[in-house]
Each structure stands twice: as structure tokens, then as C-alpha cells.
């Protein structure tokens, strides 16, 4: 099926795009088009106007900033997977991108599109949650910053109003020797995950000095497992410690849908937490052996 008729706009600058958003109604922004175009073809959404932001050059950049990394909203999944800046400062993000869809979709899909679409199983929100990301939203009348954990306002509902655009995302980076883990379960490679976990750990000798742990696929938005993080800090990694941390998943409510029940998603998430923690701990051991 083809999409219904719409008027196409292709601004060359952010100001032009914000002006269009302020003046038009019944609008959708077109980023990578990997979710929007299927939804239009199925006629789930039928906007009167499309604003294609692919020509706005500054939105496609990834930069190192003083204590973090800044992504333009149009940075593509594949760009993040291969970026030297990401591989050096936030390698978990590059590792997570391996799990997003297929190569063709990663070539076009964007960080901003993923965050605005806000599928509960998307990898970006969880990867950004462990990095305490801040999302910059702009409109013609101003701008505001939204912490990643306040981004989801319900099922596939981001913290955005009609004339606003997500323009950039800044993540805090961790010390050079931090370690990470990412694990998810999908029915087939490239499918959305049933559930997954992203982990960052830092160590003081053998002891975990800092931990960040987020889940995807179990709630409508990304969630940080703060109790599990607190349990990990000050401890030496062990199977028992990781099992105990993974048990914290049981406190999450969980979501049911046609793909899986909440209880199944939580079981899967709990196993993914353990796997992600084991990956991180293994990396730490390898670093210690190499030192
Ligand atoms: C077969 C298939 C498998 C997939 N598997 C996965 C997967 O495993 N994991 C995963 O995370 N994703 C997956 N995706 C989704 C993919 O990652 C999309 O790229 C992503 O969800 C949307 O990004 P986009 O840039 O293509 O956005 P678009 O499709 O262009 O837009 C999506 C929505 O976001 C809005 N939007 C876009 N940019 C902005 C902005 N800057 N400000 C405000 N609103 C904006 C649009 O108006 C639209 O409503 C899959 C997609 C397909 C088709």
C-alpha cells in the first residue's frame, strides 16, 4: 500500500524546520523513515505535511564535548556503531548498535527517530539511560533539556509537543577503564528484542566502585535498576552477586503484548542482566591480566 497524499517540505536549516513546525499543523518529521514510512504505508499515521530534516547538516554530527559526547538527532545507527569517538568513549553504545535491526535499517535509522518513535524494545533508550543522557528539544519559541528517564510519557509517547523537535542528545562519559555489557533476546537476529539489559561498571582494584544498569523491553520506557546498582557497588564480582542483582528485575511491573507476557519478559530480562554483568566482569578480568 502507498501512503496517502501529503505535502513534502525539505528545510535546509534548523531555523527553517522550526518555523515550519510552528506554522503548519498535522505534521510529521521525517528522519530515517524506517518507522514512519511503514506506518504511513499501513495508514496508521496520515499526516498532511512531512518535514524532511535530512538536509540539516549539523543534526547529523557526533562530537566530543568537555565531559561527554553529543549526538545530533540525525546521527544514524551505523554512524554511532562505527564512530571513533563512540568506540573510544562510550563503547557500550557501539556494542548495542550491533543489535539494532539489519544493516539497511541501521544505515538510515537515526538516534532521534528511535527516541521519538520510542518502541519499548528499542536499544537506544536503554543505552542512553546508563549514560545519564540529556535530550535537547527545540521549538521556535525556545528549548528545554529532558533527562532520559523523563523522556517516556507512556506507550510510544515521548516528552514532546507538536511544534517541538528533538535536536541533540548528550551523554556523560565514564572513566577510560570502565567496562560494559549488553545482552538481549530476540526471536530472530535483527528483530526487536523481547527484553535486554545494558550495564556499565567501574572498578577500584577488584571491587565494583560504580554501576549503572538499565533494561529494555520490559516497561514502556527505559528503566534504571537503582537497587541492583546499589547492591553491586562495594562488592567483588561473583556468580551469586550477579544472580542477586538480576533478581531485582522481579520488582518491575512489566508489559504484556502479542509477543510475550510481562512475566516472560521479566524472566528474560533477568537472564540478560546476568549475561551483561558477566560480560563486563570478564572484560575487567582481561584488563587486569593485560596490565
Ligand atoms: C524491520 C525493522 C526492524 C527494526 N528493528 C529494530 C530494532 O531491533 N531495534 C530498534 O531500536 N529499532 C528497530 N527498528 C526501528 C529503526 O531503528 C528505526 O530507525 C527507528 O525506530 C526510527 O528511526 P528513523 O530515523 O527511521 O525515524 P523515522 O521513521 O523517520 O521517524 C520515526 C518517528 O519519530 C519522529 N521523529 C523522527 N525524528 C524526530 C526528531 N528529531 N524530533 C521529533 N520527532 C522525530 C517521526 O515524526 C516519526 O513519528 C526496526 C525497523 C524495522 C523496519
Amino acid at each position: 500500500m502507498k501512503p496517502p497524499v501529503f505535502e513534502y517540505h525539505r528545510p535546509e536549516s534548523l531555523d527553517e524546520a522550526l518555523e515550519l513546525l510552528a506554522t503548519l499543523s498535522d505534521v510529521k518529521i521525517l528522519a530515517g523513515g524506517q518507522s514512519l514510512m511503514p506506518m504511513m504505508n499501513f495508514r496508521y499515521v496520515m499526516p498532511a505535511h512531512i518535514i524532511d530534516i535530512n538536509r540539516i547538516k549539523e543534526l547529523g554530527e557526533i562530537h566530543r564535548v568537555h565531559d561527554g559526547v553529543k549526538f545530533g538527532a540525525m546521527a544514524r545507527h551505523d554512524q554511532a556503531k562505527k564512530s571513533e569517538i563512540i568506540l573510544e568513549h562510550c563503547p557500550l553504545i557501539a556494542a548495542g548498535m550491533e543489535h539494532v535491526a539489519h544493516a539497511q535499517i541501521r544505515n538510515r535509522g537515526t538516534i532521534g527517530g528511535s527516541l521519538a518513535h520510542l518502541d519499548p524494545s528499542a536499544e537506544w533508550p536503554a543505552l542512553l539511560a546508563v549514560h545519564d543522557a540529556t535530550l535537547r528539544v527545540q521549538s521556535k519559541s525556545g528549548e528545554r533539556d529532558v533527562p532520559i528517564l523523563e523522556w517516556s510519557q507512556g506507550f510510544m509517547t515521548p516528552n514532546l509537543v507538536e511544534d517541538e523537535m528533538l535536536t541533540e542528545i548528550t551523554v556523560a562519559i565514564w572513566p577510560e577503564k570502565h567496562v560494559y555489557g549488553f545482552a538481549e533476546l530476540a526471536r530472530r537476529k535483527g528483530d526487536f528484542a523481547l527484553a535486554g539489559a545494558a550495564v556499565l561498571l567501574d572498578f577500584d582494584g577488584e571491587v565494583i566502585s560504580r554501576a549503572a544498569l538499565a533494561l529494555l523491553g520490559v516497561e514502556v520506557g527505559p528503566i534504571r535498576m537503582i537497587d541492583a546498582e546499589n547492591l553491586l557497588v562495594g562488592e567483588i564480582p561473583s556468580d551469586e552477586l550477579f544472580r542477586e542483582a538480576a533478581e531485582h528485575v522481579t520488582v518491575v511491573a512489566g508489559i504484556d503484548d502479542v509477543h510475550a507476557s510481562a512475566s516472560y519478559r521479566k524472566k528474560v530480562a533477568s537472564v540478560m542482566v546476568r549475561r551483561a554483568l558477566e560480560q563486563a566482569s570478564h572484560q575487567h578480568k582481561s584488563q587486569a591480566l593485560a596490565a
Side-chain angles (χ1 to χ4, degrees):
M1 207 144 86
K2 297 288 175 219
V5 174
F6 56 85
E7 204 172 320
Y8 178 74
H9 308 265
R10 192 167 57 190
E12 301 283 337
S13 69
L14 182 56
D15 283 348
E16 210 187 314
L18 296 178
E19 179 70 35
L20 284 166
L21 274 174
T23 48
L24 300 172
S25 57
D26 195 10
V27 177
K28 278 280 176 194
I29 291 170
L30 174 68
Q34 300 304 298
S35 299
L36 181 62
M37 290 321 296
M39 286 193 303
M40 287 176 65
N41 289 343
F42 282 117
R43 305 198 175 201
Y44 291 137
V45 289
M46 297 190 279
H49 298 273
I50 288 287
I51 303 177
D52 179 348
I53 57 172
N54 282 269
R55 287 269 176 101
I56 307 174
K57 198 168 164 288
E58 73 261 31
L59 292 183
E61 291 166 2
I62 299 175
H63 289 293
R64 176 81 171 86
V65 288
H66 73 288
D67 56 353
V69 170
K70 192 186 281 183
F71 298 80
M74 286 298 289
R76 316 268 172 191
H77 308 324
D78 198 55
Q79 192 184 342
K81 182 169 164 248
K82 294 178 180 156
S83 155
E84 290 296 329
I85 296 173
I86 303 303
L87 288 164
E88 183 179 348
H89 298 290
C90 24
L92 168 70
I93 291 181
M97 287 301 104
E98 294 277 350
H99 298 263
V100 177
H102 309 281
Q104 295 85 341
I105 293 162
R106 290 195 295 267
N107 282 338
R108 297 299 304 164
T110 64
I111 178 173
S114 177
L115 288 163
H117 187 61
L118 206 55
D119 190 292
S121 289
E123 286 80 3
W124 269 117
L127 295 166
L128 296 175
V130 287
H131 280 285
D132 296 303
T134 303
L135 283 57
R136 167 79 41 100
V137 166
Q138 286 181 259
S139 69
K140 201 186 163 200
S141 52
E143 60 184 39
R144 61 195 176 95
D145 287 338
V146 183
I148 181 71
L149 294 180
E150 293 170 22
W151 183 243
S152 170
Q153 304 287 294
F155 181 67
M156 296 181 88
T157 309
N159 189 339
L160 270 176
V161 295
E162 219 175 68
D163 65 341
E164 287 181 326
M165 184 194 297
L166 173 60
T167 53
E168 63 188 40
I169 299 95
T170 306
V171 301
I173 59 175
W174 278 45
E176 201 190 324
K177 285 217 150 60
H178 79 272
V179 291
Y180 60 91
F182 185 88
E184 68 171 43
L185 180 73
R187 283 181 205 278
R188 297 172 305 185
K189 172 127 183 70
D191 280 3
F192 275 106
L194 293 173
V199 168
L200 293 174
L201 295 180
D202 202 12
F203 281 82
D204 182 3
E206 283 182 48
V207 174
I208 298 171
S209 56
R210 189 174 165 201
L213 170 49
L215 304 181
L216 59 103
V218 288
E219 286 288 356
V220 290
I223 38 171
R224 280 280 291 269
M225 302 300 294
I226 304 293
D227 288 345
E229 293 171 7
N230 291 338
L231 177 90
L232 291 162
V233 171
E235 302 293 333
I236 294 173
S238 67
D239 289 349
E240 200 187 326
L241 178 70
F242 290 169
R243 236 192 326 273
E244 236 183 285
E247 274 168 22
H248 281 271
V249 173
T250 52
V251 301
V252 176
I255 45 167
D256 285 309
D257 67 10
V258 288
H259 302 295
S261 66
S263 72
Y264 182 66
R265 284 180 192 277
K266 282 162 56 172
K267 271 195 191 121
V268 172
S270 162
V271 175
M272 296 305 121
V273 166
R274 248 176 32 224
R275 285 189 192 166
L277 285 168
E278 280 160 10
Q279 284 172 24
S281 167
H282 184 73
Q283 264 177 39
H284 175 65
K285 281 186 194 143
S286 304
Q287 275 180 5
L289 281 174

